[in-house]
Each structure stands twice: as structure tokens, then as C-alpha cells.
Amino acid sequence: MTRSALQTLPGESPTILGLQDVRVHYPMGKDWLGRPKAPAHALNGIDLQVRAGETLGVVGESGCGKSTLAQLLMGLIKPTSGRLDWVYNSDKERSSNVQIVFQDPQSSLDPRLPVWKIITEPLFVQRSAPHHEMRGIAAKVAAQVGIRTEYLDRFPHQFSGGQRQRIAIARALSSNPDIIVLDEPTSALDISVQAQILNLLAELQRSRDLTYILISHNVSVVRHMADRVAVMYLGQIVELGTATEVLERPRHPYTQLLLEAVPRLGVSVDEGQVSAPTELPGNRTLPTGCYFRDRCPKATQGCEKPQALLPAKDGGASVRCHLES
Ligand code: ADP
Ligand code: MG
């Protein structure tokens, strides 16, 4: 697939994946009387179109559902309700469509496997290449991420953190996916190495027409990489727009607080928790009306009604807030 072949509208790629009112509720077992306990409402009505070739940044505090969304896209969990439609699907197996790069290559790479086996793990799992071809495929992909062929028989502990993340990226690439979920891809790396890995990811995206879902607490990483940004709160998207719209002119009161909580250069959304008057509510019983209204400095009576994610009147970012849409 080439990006130009997919282009339908100038400047806007077609949808590769659509989510419609997707909910994921984790059952929490039974209480001592045998009654089912309230589930954890991890995702509460996600509407999202992922466009071919874009980088979609996903930000939000810990517990807002980012990893659940990643697992859903990976096909590891099913929606409790709602729809997930692959609009564009290549000839490949559906399961090969999405791969993931985790935060910490130290724990995400099997220490007992040589590099070439790590890189070809997805092909092995999918049985999508004959065994005698695996090593050759590993060599090719390794070269693309800057790992030398003579290192293919080494083990993860013989590499630096940055090299290990390159190996993790090679593993994500080997099955030729359409989408790669990047879950905090540089957070565990030294500052000096972060830029190299981000540049590598950007280069691979261009050369291989990849679509990225970039989950990150690091606003400067998202600003650097993302075309669009989705801001999540309690399992919902509260703001969705271009990276410039969302990060430079945030409209939703939650996005504004989130970005204020991030020291301009310090950048960790999670650690610099949002300074709202009340704690992040639990997700076992969902709030009525706007989920954010108890913490929102701008809350009015209109916030008692459920809020939809609507495009702003001026055509800017979509916001789930009646004060701004
Ligand atoms: P994030 O990645 O943004 O921190 P998660 O998707 O990990 O958020 O979690 C969203 C919510 O779902 C949290 O309240 C979390 O406790 C809950 N959750 C996540 N995974 C499970 C699970 N396997 N079982 C029960 N609850 C879960
Ligand atoms: Mg997470």
C-alpha cells in the first residue's frame, strides 16, 4: 500500500479503522453474597476514525483507558459493546494488522531468545513465514532499524537500552503490520537516545506507510510526532483534533488543566496529576452528565446532561463540552 494510492481527499487519508461507541467493562467478580460486583468501566463510548498513515497521539492520566484501547486494537480483548471495523484491510491476516512497541524493552524482550528469534516472533506466532526464511527476514528488518546483522545471535542483555528498543521496533515491523501501537516508546530511555528512536520511527513511517497510535505522557514527544491528538478522560475521548489545535489551543477544560499540569519542559502528564479540586473519580460507578464536571472549574448546570463529542462550530477540534462545542 502506498500512501498516495490511499489518498481520497487532498491532505486527508482514508479511514483504516473505525470505532463506534466502543465500551470495555472488566468484570470484577462477585461479592460475598454472590452478587456480581460493579465492573471497571475502562472504555465508555469511544468514537474514533484512525486514518491511514497518520500518527494519532493518545494522552490522558493513568487509568483513563489508554492501555485498554491498545489491547482492543491489538485484538487481545473484545469490546463489551460497540463496533470496531477495519475499513481498509490488506490481504494479510487480520491479526497481523496491529503490532505494539512497549515502553520498556528490558521487560518486553524475552531474555532467553537470540535477537533473530525475537524479531521474527510475530511471524512464528502467526505461522506466516516458513521456518527456514525467518533468519533472512530478521536480517533484513534488523538492517532497517540499525541493528547489525552480525548481532543477530546475541541476546537482549548484550545491547544498550536504545538498541533493545530498536530490536522491539524490528519485532513490530517483521510481520509487516498496517498499524503500530507505540505505548510510551521512549519513556524508559536516556534523553540522548530518545530523539534517535523518534527519528527512526518517523523515518520508518514514511518509508513503510505505517499508521501509528502513539500513547504517551510526554507532551513534547506527542507534539513532535503526532498529526492528531485524542485526549482521554475516564474511558472517553474528551477532545480530538490536530496536534496544533489540541496542544496549542486546548478547548476542553480537562485538556487545559492537563497541559497546565505539565511543566513546559518536564512533560509528564501522569506524574504532574491534574490539579482539579477533587480526585480522579473511580470508574466502578460512572458519573452522570459530563464525567469531568465534579473536577471542572467551569462547570455549570448544563453539565448535568451527558455530553457528546462534537466538532467545534469553527471547524476546529471536537470537544465533549457544551461550553466549547
Ligand atoms: P491507562 O493505560 O490509561 O492507565 P488502563 O486501560 O490500564 O488505563 O485502565 C483503565 C481502567 O481499567 C483502570 O481503572 C484499570 O484499573 C482498569 N483495568 C485495566 N485492566 C484491567 C483488568 N485486566 N481487569 C480489571 N480492570 C482493569
Ligand atoms: Mg497504561
Side-chain angles (χ1 to χ4, degrees), residues 157-171:
H157 74 268
Q158 295 173 287
F159 294 88
S160 69
Q163 284 172 318
R164 278 198 290 262
Q165 200 58 315
R166 286 174 192 267
I167 295 165
I169 293 168
R171 175 175 60 185

Side-chain angles (χ1 to χ4, degrees), residues 261-290:
V262 177
R264 223 50 198 151
L265 294 167
V267 294
S268 174
V269 169
D270 227 41
E271 281 133 40
Q273 287 257 318
V274 167
S275 60
T278 54
E279 290 290 292
L280 183 67
N283 63 10
R284 305 290 294 282
T285 315
L286 290 174
T288 56
C290 170

Side-chain angles (χ1 to χ4, degrees), residues 178-192:
D178 296 316
I179 298 182
I180 298 184
V181 177
L182 305 165
D183 195 350
E184 298 285 357
T186 56
S187 310
L189 303 177
D190 289 345
I191 297 279
S192 59

Side-chain angles (χ1 to χ4, degrees), residues 10-316:
E12 199 173 281
S13 297
T15 299
I16 188 169
L17 170 66
L19 279 73
Q20 257 179 52
D21 198 20
V22 167
R23 288 163 203 271
V24 172
H25 299 164
Y26 294 105
M28 298 302 279
K30 299 200 166 142
D31 69 11
W32 61 281
L33 287 173
R35 295 171 303 201
K37 288 198 220 167
H41 297 82
L43 295 181
N44 301 303
I46 299 286
D47 291 297
L48 183 63
Q49 313 265 305
V50 179
R51 296 176 189 155
E54 77 170 335
T55 296
L56 175 69
V58 179
V59 298
E61 285 166 287
S62 188
C64 71
K66 301 181 298 293
S67 297
T68 301
L69 181 65
Q71 289 179 61
L72 188 82
L73 300 182
M74 296 279 300
L76 298 175
I77 52 174
K78 298 266 164 273
T80 309
S81 67
R83 294 182 56 148
L84 192 143
D85 295 306
W86 292 93
V87 180
Y88 167 80
N89 205 338
S90 58
D91 306 332
K92 287 166 263 175
E93 288 286 309
R94 194 182 132 143
S95 60
S96 71
N97 258 343
V98 187
Q99 290 294 327
I100 190 161
V101 174
F102 292 102
Q103 172 170 358
D104 184 6
Q106 179 82 37
S107 55
S108 67
L109 305 182
D110 188 335
R112 296 160 306 180
L113 294 182
V115 164
W116 75 270
K117 283 196 176 172
I118 291 176
I119 294 178
T120 51
E121 251 178 332
L123 298 169
F124 191 76
V125 172
Q126 294 161 10
R127 297 168 202 235
S128 51
H131 210 267
H132 67 271
E133 284 177 15
M134 297 281 192
R135 211 191 148 87
I137 295 172
K140 226 164 152 179
V141 188
Q144 289 177 14
V145 301
I147 295 290
R148 293 161 63 150
T149 321
E150 55 264 44
Y151 292 170
L152 285 180
D153 290 306
R154 295 195 178 181
F155 292 84
H157 74 268
Q158 295 173 287
F159 294 88
S160 69
Q163 284 172 318
R164 278 198 290 262
Q165 200 58 315
R166 286 174 192 267
I167 295 165
I169 293 168
R171 175 175 60 185
L173 288 174
S174 66
S175 60
N176 204 16
D178 296 316
I179 298 182
I180 298 184
V181 177
L182 305 165
D183 195 350
E184 298 285 357
T186 56
S187 310
L189 303 177
D190 289 345
I191 297 279
S192 59
V193 183
Q194 290 185 8
Q196 292 170 21
I197 295 295
L198 293 177
N199 289 339
L200 172 67
L201 287 167
E203 207 179 288
L204 291 166
Q205 182 172 43
R206 273 192 299 275
S207 61
R208 302 182 61 133
D209 292 306
L210 291 163
T211 303
Y212 288 155
I213 311 280
L214 171 66
I215 296 173
S216 184
H217 300 144
N218 188 320
V219 173
S220 66
V221 167
V222 174
R223 190 174 276 131
H224 181 68
M225 296 285 286
D227 301 303
R228 292 194 303 152
V229 174
V231 181
M232 289 184 63
Y233 185 78
L234 224 61
Q236 292 187 328
I237 294 174
V238 295
E239 183 156 359
L240 175 67
T242 65
T244 316
E245 282 162 357
V246 175
L247 300 177
E248 306 304 330
R249 295 182 294 278
R251 306 175 77 129
H252 196 287
Y254 176 68
T255 314
Q256 290 168 359
L257 283 170
L258 187 71
L259 294 177
E260 270 169 33
V262 177
R264 223 50 198 151
L265 294 167
V267 294
S268 174
V269 169
D270 227 41
E271 281 133 40
Q273 287 257 318
V274 167
S275 60
T278 54
E279 290 290 292
L280 183 67
N283 63 10
R284 305 290 294 282
T285 315
L286 290 174
T288 56
C290 170
Y291 287 5
F292 186 55
R293 72 182 159 124
D294 284 349
R295 300 173 84 200
C296 183
K298 298 182 179 166
T300 65
Q301 284 198 334
C303 308
E304 287 156 16
K305 290 191 207 122
Q307 308 286 312
L309 182 68
L310 297 172
K313 285 190 198 83
D314 64 6

